[in-house]
Amino acid sequence: EAAVTQSPRNKVTVTGGNVTLSCRQTNSHNYMYWYRQDTGHGLRLIHYSYGAGNLQIGDVPDGYKATRTTQEDFFLLLELASPSQTSLYFCASSVDSNERLFFGHGTKLSVL
Amino acid sequence: QQKVQQSPESLIVPEGGMASLNCTSSDRNVDYFWWYRQHSGKSPKMLMSIFSNGEKEEGRFTVHLNKASLHTSLHIRDSQPSDSALYLCAARRNNNRIFFGDGTQLVVKP
């Protein structure tokens, strides 16, 4: 099965802090996604990309930046973290947008 | 605005029973649907996909799609305690954005 690796697995930061979440896939997938999951909200799309250097805005982009530096690597940046960004973050990848998503294990972020 | 509505929010079925889950999109530009399953503390994994009108069966799982009403349903027969999980419906908008519903929490009681 396709592998998607997220790091770190857990992160605690303070309000106003900078956080970078990393995601790497070695499946030669074109599409990569960042979602957040909160109780009662399922998965909400933050940003996505269909290739190196490409970035598309998702449904809940405020307070987040993303960058796809290579085919393999997709980063999510929180430059001024707020408690409302405390959540479980999932990265996912797919060969194409009409193909299944493969998810990483998730990053649990707490903003105090 | 929630583009994918799932019902019910939670469902309890006895072991061996039938579980039926529903999903409807309010976005007319949706063209693909998936069902994902997420066990507690784990990441979502795709169960089934459906893109054409009609029905698709894989083992104990059957999925239906009505493209006119943008409604899909997932049916699990002979439910097992290991089927207890959060079931997420996903849809693709034709701009390649994939969004999810809030999920149905299924509990299968032994």
Side-chain angles (χ1 to χ4, degrees):
Chain A
E1 178 159 302
V4 179
T5 304
Q6 291 184 237
S7 61
R9 295 290 293 266
N10 291 280
K11 176 74 177 176
V12 180
T13 190
V14 295
T15 299
N18 287 346
V19 177
T20 298
L21 306 184
S22 301
C23 178
R24 164 165 278 216
Q25 55 89 12
T26 54
N27 313 302
S28 300
H29 285 176
N30 294 309
Y31 281 78
M32 295 185 76
Y33 302 81
W34 279 108
Y35 291 91
R36 62 177 287 175
Q37 186 173 36
D38 305 290
T39 304
H41 281 284
L43 292 164
R44 291 187 287 177
L45 179 63
I46 304 170
H47 291 298
Y48 64 107
S49 165
Y50 54 76
N54 175 264
L55 181 66
Q56 303 294 317
I57 294 172
D59 297 321
V60 290
D62 292 347
Y64 302 96
K65 292 184 180 178
T67 179
R68 181 93 176 264
T69 54
T70 64
Q71 181 78 352
E72 295 78 20
D73 297 302
F74 195 30
F75 299 94
L76 186 68
L77 295 79
L78 292 72
E79 292 186 330
L80 287 170
S82 72
S84 65
Q85 294 176 308
T86 292
S87 188
L88 179 60
Y89 290 86
F90 283 106
C91 176
S93 73
S94 65
V95 172
D96 204 341
S97 64
N98 59 351
E99 298 289 339
R100 64 190 292 183
L101 295 178
F102 291 91
F103 284 85
H105 285 107
T107 294
K108 186 176 179 182
L109 175 66
S110 298
V111 183
L112 306 178
Chain B
Q1 70 283 19
Q2 186 59 263
K3 298 187 184 74
V4 173
Q5 298 287 348
Q6 289 190 244
S7 63
E9 287 186 15
S10 61
L11 181 63
I12 301 174
V13 299
E15 184 174 357
M18 172 76 84
S20 294
L21 293 69
N22 297 291
C23 171
T24 302
S25 174
S26 57
D27 189 331
R28 301 301 304 179
N29 295 305
V30 161
D31 56 3
Y32 286 81
F33 287 91
W34 296 265
W35 285 93
Y36 285 79
R37 181 165 72 178
Q38 185 179 22
H39 285 107
S40 180
K42 303 292 186 183
S43 57
K45 284 188 167 49
M46 194 201 76
L47 257 183
M48 293 188 74
S49 59
I50 189 160
F51 314 134
S52 305
N53 266 328
E55 176 181 302
K56 186 174 168 182
E57 181 176 333
E58 291 179 6
R60 298 185 292 112
F61 300 89
T62 302
V63 63
H64 295 264
L65 176 62
N66 180 325
K67 293 193 83 169
S69 60
L70 294 177
H71 178 262
T72 178
S73 57
L74 175 69
H75 305 273
I76 307 171
R77 63 176 171 81
D78 189 24
S79 296
Q80 301 298 309
S82 59
D83 293 327
S84 297
L86 180 67
Y87 288 77
L88 295 160
C89 174
R92 186 188 85 154
R93 203 170 189 271
N94 56 13
N95 62 355
N96 301 325
R97 181 178 295 194
I98 297 174
F99 47 90
F100 286 77
D102 287 341
T104 292
Q105 187 70 51
L106 174 65
V107 175
V108 181
K109 293 276 195 184

